Amino acid sequence: MAKLSLKENYLRLSRGEMPDYVPTWRLGMRIRTSPAWNVTPSILPGMMGPPPSEDGSPRVEWTDAWGITRTAVEEVGMAGLPKPGHFILDDVTKWDKVVKWPEYPEGFNTVDWEAMAKEDMKDINRDEVGVVTSGAFGPFTTLINYMGFTEGLCALLEEPESVKEMLNNICDYYMPIVEKTTEYYQPDIFSMFDDTAAKYAPFFSVEVYKDIFKPIYTRLTQPANDRGIPIQFHNCGRAEDFVPDMIDFGVKYWDPAQTSNDLLQVKEDFKGQIAVCGGFDFVPEVGRDTTEEEIREFVRGVINKYAPGGGFAFCGGVTGRAGDAAKTQQLNDWVLDEVDTYGESFYK
């Protein structure tokens, strides 16, 4: 029997079926272990990311399309985080005076979306590799980007109606993008993100989640759910409290499913309903180099613990020291190779 493609092996999890070998989730990385590639309509890039610099070097500070000043530093992998101490909204009841509404890209409503989708995906063999499109924004992280954690969390408790009004208006902006992308690109997976938990506890209660955030997630996933497209939800930290609600709005995959959650209990309680994509929380020891055998042994331990019975995809990587990209790449090459070689025959 021919080996299942990376795509089909991974999609089996969304149907509660057993994979042939241990799947790996590596969104957006066009490498041998990626079951799906992230595709952004060519009319959209540049809306949220940094504008190109004059000399082509990476931007270290810029103001995004929503008016938020961001900085990128080596210590966080050049991620564009809100500039510390420069949050632009201090009173959520006045959100409409502060939130800047970006213009849709020129031609957004007149472009031939069907032809654009065909062109954007022309190099993807969809028999072998899946297509992923994105849910555009995370409502909680958007609130924090505007207000910071202190004021944002206070706003959830003190002014929940204003928070809902603000976030639903921002969702209104994104829904045409989500609807058109889902209709014309017909993705195999619809990806969402929102980091609603710290390492050991959620940032807010399940009641707040149900009242403020779940309705927005439900709106964002509706176009995919209407078409039977499985949802992948990126949610860091100890977010297991929210799993039942995630399942309600169509989530079939949860990443990076960190080990501060009781992942074995989640697998048992929700078998066949949601796949755990994660389990790899490896932190290199400070002061010495990590060996290849340490990496490979750790990967095998993760697979041995979480893969039995299916419902699991390996998801994770090593974050190395700032400024040591070559070493970090080497560590992650070992990770991926061990997942490939050890996971290949695990279910056999």
Side-chain angles (χ1 to χ4, degrees), residues 240 243-244 247 262-274:
E240 64 182 282
V243 167
I247 292 171
D262 189 343
L263 300 181
L264 292 178
Q265 192 65 53
V266 170
K267 283 190 62 180
E268 180 179 335
D269 290 345
F270 305 103
K271 185 175 182 179
Q273 300 179 70
I274 191 168

Side-chain angles (χ1 to χ4, degrees), residues 25 81 138 140-141 149 192-204 209 217 232-243 246 251 253-261 263 277-281 315-317 319:
W25 178 249
L81 303 179
F140 177 66
T141 50
F149 274 97
M192 292 175 56
F193 68 93
D194 212 14
D195 291 331
T196 58
K199 182 173 183 178
Y200 295 115
F203 288 120
F204 43 76
Y209 189 92
Y217 299 141
Q232 176 108 15
F233 195 8
H234 173 94
N235 199 345
C236 294
R238 202 193 72 79
E240 64 182 282
D241 301 28
F242 306 138
V243 167
M246 290 159 58
V251 175
Y253 303 92
W254 168 33
D255 75 85
Q258 294 176 286
T259 55
S260 53
N261 300 276
L263 300 181
C277 308
F280 184 79
D281 288 338
C315 174
T319 302

Side-chain angles (χ1 to χ4, degrees), residues 114-164:
E114 185 174 2
M116 181 170 63
K118 184 176 180 180
E119 176 66 20
D120 288 343
M121 297 186 293
K122 67 180 181 181
D123 295 326
I124 299 176
N125 179 355
R126 296 196 66 170
D127 291 331
E128 298 292 329
V129 179
V131 164
V132 179
T133 60
S134 173
F137 91 117
F140 177 66
T141 50
T142 295
L143 176 69
I144 300 309
N145 284 345
Y146 273 109
M147 303 192 74
F149 274 97
T150 301
E151 295 300 329
L153 292 173
C154 287
L156 288 177
L157 293 178
E158 296 174 353
E159 299 290 348
E161 296 307 313
S162 292
V163 172
K164 282 189 267 190

Side-chain angles (χ1 to χ4, degrees), residues 38 46 82 86 147 181 197 220 227 287 301-302:
N38 192 37
H86 287 73
M147 303 192 74
T181 304
L220 288 168
R227 294 168 173 82
V302 170

